[in-house]
Amino acid sequence: MSSSSSLYRRLHGLFAQNHKVTVKLNTDKPKTTSLTSTKPTSKLPDEQELQTIIDNFKKSSESPKFRNRIINYRTAIRRLKNNSSAIQDIFEHQKQYPEISNELFVSRLILLYGTAKMHEHARKLFDEMPTLKCKRTVFSFNVLLEACIRAEKYDIIRELFRELPEELSIEPDVVSYNTLIKALCKAGSLDSAVSVIDEMENQGIKPDKVTFSTLLNTYHESKKFSEAEDFWVLMQKKNVAADMGIYSVRLRGLVANNQVNEAIELFEEMGKKEIIPNAFSYNLMIKMYVDDRNWEEAKRWYVKMVENGRYPDSATFVMLIHFACDKDNLDFALELCKKSIDSNVTVHNATMQRVVNILAEHSKLEEAKELVNLAKSYKRFRYKLLLPWLHMRFMW
DNA sequence: ATAGGGTTAG
């Protein structure tokens, strides 16, 4: 790096510091107005606030419209943080409404108990369903399994599987088995998860793309790439209808293991099978070359993406803009920034700022200014870009 | 309706 750029950096540092002070002087509340985004500290509600949330929720629950919107329950859970007795309080309150005999409604509550890490309450509500005049099918059984996963109680799921279907005469379906597999994967028992395939086939249930997707992904996560290979072959043998998603999982695995040729091959295979690669597929290919510092190929895949009518998204722009900056390819960096604004795609503020800075560093002041102004016209996000050159001129 | 798959910078 040249000495002029290090001078620039020092000036910029000074500038940034001064700027913060100015912000503080101009406002009465300096706590959250810093340019570097500081999240407001989320504190636990005190007793008074807690009671208000509970009372308001119960009041709102009187409206059937309110009860029909799951988002209201999710919001309440979030606001109540980990206060399980408060959550139990508002959920118990729901039992007086007719929806409590609706399997979907109760299932949502069971799932939310899981989200709140209250697996015992989830189980209790499941057990109460007959008393609540609510039918209980494999659907709510699956939901109970999922609630345990959300509560990270993986070991219970095996037991539930052994105990409940027989007791309640529920036939586990493909979703039940896929959920069991997910639980075993999360618990780190990949081998037993795989053996569930045999188990389900013995019960006459065909593993599907979700089954294979979950397992393939776990192979990749535990870096067992050659086993992932065998597993992919097994999937072909089982004639599982592949889709975009499972190809994405496979492609991600190949990229993670730096199997460049195999990744290209798979990409082409997708086209032949009429699984049209989407932006995510292209991003994977671009990322592979960006990580490899191969500018030519990264750019080639970007061009290919645009030519094939896939819209570059935030990930595409951020990856390539930084790479272009690394390579001092200012024209391309600027072009990408303009295109992102033009196509209504938001990138990180720091990414856009880096291009402004690097343009200024290379005395391309007009272009830097142009970009800052262009960013001002962007409606979906308010970029906060600084024009360092103004300040440098002032210092000189 | 419940189960999976998703990135990008510092």
Side-chain angles (χ1 to χ4, degrees), chain A residues 59-95:
Chain A
K59 192 93 182 60
S60 309
S61 298
E62 289 168 17
S63 152
K65 254 189 175 167
F66 180 90
R67 299 195 295 272
N68 197 26
R69 290 187 47 111
I70 177 74
I71 181 93
N72 294 327
Y73 292 79
R74 274 196 215 119
T75 312
I77 294 282
R78 213 184 41 241
R79 292 183 67 195
L80 292 171
K81 301 280 187 266
N82 294 322
N83 195 312
S84 50
S85 61
I87 293 169
Q88 186 184 7
D89 187 356
I90 63 169
F91 279 17
E92 283 290 321
H93 181 83
Q94 305 302 309
K95 288 183 179 169

Side-chain angles (χ1 to χ4, degrees), chain A residues 174 177-178 196-205 207 211:
Chain A
V174 68
Y177 282 102
N178 286 344
V196 174
I197 291 182
D198 294 332
E199 202 178 314
M200 59 202 287
E201 282 177 335
N202 288 339
Q203 298 298 316
I205 292 162
T211 319

Side-chain angles (χ1 to χ4, degrees), chain A residues 243-245 247-248 267 269-282 308-310:
Chain A
D243 67 351
M244 184 70 234
Y247 266 89
S248 295
F267 196 94
E269 192 184 313
M270 286 168 75
K272 279 180 209 145
K273 295 205 171 176
E274 288 179 17
I275 297 168
I276 312 296
N278 60 13
F280 179 72
S281 331
Y282 282 99
N308 288 332
R310 299 292 112 186

